[in-house]
Amino acid sequence: MMTREKLMARSNNRRDLNFSNAVVAAELIEGASSFALHGRNIVFNIGDTVVEIAGTPRQRIQPLSSTTLIDAVIENAQAMIVIRVRETEGAKDWASTLGWPRYAETITDPTAEILGLPLYRSPQDDLTEIRLSGAAAMLAGSPETEGMTFAAKANLWFAPEATDCLIHNLHPFIETHVQIMGVGRMQKFQTQQRETLTEEILMAPGFAQPFFDCTSDSIGGFLYPWHQYYADTDCIWLALELHPFAGSHD
C-alpha cells in the first residue's frame, strides 16, 4: 500500500470512480481522517490496515472487507471505496441506458454461450497501488503474494434475474466481489459442469465475498477453483482486481 508519508500528504483525498453514474455513485477515498459519511453507504476497505469507525466502543472494517454504514464518521482509513445507491428501480434498463457493453463485446472470439449471456460490464477504473502485507496476503487467498505490489482495478457488473455468469477457473489477477444491489451468490464447482456445485456464498448488498484460495499458474496468472457468479435477482456487483506488477515481490 502507499507509504505513510504519501498518505499523510493525501489526507481525505477523494475522486469519483469512472463508472460512477446516475444510479450508483462511487468514490475512492485515500488517507481518510475524521471523514463524515452522509446517508447510507457501502464501504469497502481496500487497504491493508483496518478502517476505524468513530463510536464507543470503536468499530472496524477489516482489510479487504466491506460493510454498510449510515451517517457514520471514518476516523482513519488508508484507502476505501464508498458506494451510494441513488436509484433502486429499473435495473433491466441500466446497462443500456448507461451504455455498458455486453461482456461478449469486450473480448475476442466469444463462444456461442458468451454471445447469448446477458452480462454487462461498466468501464474499469485504475484505483491505486496495493502492497499485500502478511495478513492481507492471507486474506487475499494467496500467501505466496506477501510483499507483492498490485495495481488495483475495479468495475461494476450487471446481470438480470436467474443468470449464470460463466463457470471459469483462471485469471491473470486476484479478484473478489462486493454486492451492490439485488441478491446473488458466488458458487464453486468441482468441474466446469453446473451439476458439480460444491459451495455457495450468498451475496446481499454491502457484503464482500471472502477471497477464494488460489495458486500461481505456470504463465503468471492465478488458478482458482471452478467458480461463477449467479444472479438470483437483477443484480449489480463490484469486482476488485489485483494485477501484479512484474518483479514486484520483495
Side-chain angles (χ1 to χ4, degrees), residues 34-93:
S34 300
F35 185 85
L37 296 171
H38 303 289
R40 190 177 188 88
N41 302 267
I42 295 172
V43 179
F44 184 23
N45 178 8
I46 62 170
D48 63 0
T49 62
V50 297
V51 168
E52 296 186 337
I53 306 166
T56 305
R58 180 163 296 179
Q59 301 300 298
R60 296 172 175 85
I61 307 172
Q62 296 300 317
L64 305 177
S65 300
S66 67
T67 193
T68 300
L69 297 178
I70 300 93
D71 295 328
V73 174
I74 301 297
E75 290 287 13
N76 294 286
Q78 281 185 338
M80 58 185 182
I81 295 173
V82 176
I83 292 179
R84 291 175 298 281
V85 176
R86 293 168 165 161
E87 178 60 67
T88 59
E89 300 295 333
K92 290 182 179 178
D93 298 325

Side-chain angles (χ1 to χ4, degrees), residues 5-169:
E5 290 76 14
K6 287 183 179 179
L7 286 169
M8 290 287 288
R10 301 183 68 175
S11 179
N12 284 340
N13 183 69
R14 59 193 296 186
R15 68 172 177 85
D16 289 341
L17 301 185
N18 67 3
F19 51 78
S20 186
N21 54 66
V23 175
V24 176
E27 284 187 292
L28 173 69
I29 295 112
E30 295 182 281
S33 176
S34 300
F35 185 85
L37 296 171
H38 303 289
R40 190 177 188 88
N41 302 267
I42 295 172
V43 179
F44 184 23
N45 178 8
I46 62 170
D48 63 0
T49 62
V50 297
V51 168
E52 296 186 337
I53 306 166
T56 305
R58 180 163 296 179
Q59 301 300 298
R60 296 172 175 85
I61 307 172
Q62 296 300 317
L64 305 177
S65 300
S66 67
T67 193
T68 300
L69 297 178
I70 300 93
D71 295 328
V73 174
I74 301 297
E75 290 287 13
N76 294 286
Q78 281 185 338
M80 58 185 182
I81 295 173
V82 176
I83 292 179
R84 291 175 298 281
V85 176
R86 293 168 165 161
E87 178 60 67
T88 59
E89 300 295 333
K92 290 182 179 178
D93 298 325
W94 291 344
S96 58
T97 299
L98 298 171
W100 295 2
R102 278 194 180 226
Y103 175 60
E105 298 171 14
T106 68
I107 61 176
T108 303
D109 297 326
T111 64
E113 182 182 15
I114 294 175
L115 285 169
L117 185 66
L119 177 63
Y120 297 82
R121 182 183 179 182
S122 78
Q124 188 170 69
D125 193 283
D126 294 322
L127 296 170
T128 187
E129 294 181 9
I130 293 179
R131 182 180 181 277
L132 293 182
S133 65
M138 290 293 293
L139 288 168
S142 184
E144 64 199 68
T145 61
E146 180 175 357
M148 289 179 62
T149 301
F150 294 81
K153 304 173 185 286
N155 62 271
L156 298 177
W157 292 93
F158 166 75
E161 178 182 1
T163 300
D164 289 291
C165 297
L166 293 177
I167 300 172
H168 57 288
N169 69 343

Side-chain angles (χ1 to χ4, degrees), residues 207-249:
F207 177 77
Q209 164 222 321
F211 283 76
F212 293 164
D213 289 341
C214 64
T215 58
S216 297
D217 67 14
S218 59
I219 58 173
F222 297 91
L223 178 65
Y224 279 86
W226 292 102
H227 66 282
Q228 75 163 357
Y229 183 89
Y230 177 82
D232 287 277
T233 68
D234 298 339
C235 284
I236 291 178
W237 66 100
L238 178 139
L240 174 71
E241 299 177 357
L242 302 181
H243 294 253
F245 287 110
S248 66
H249 208 295

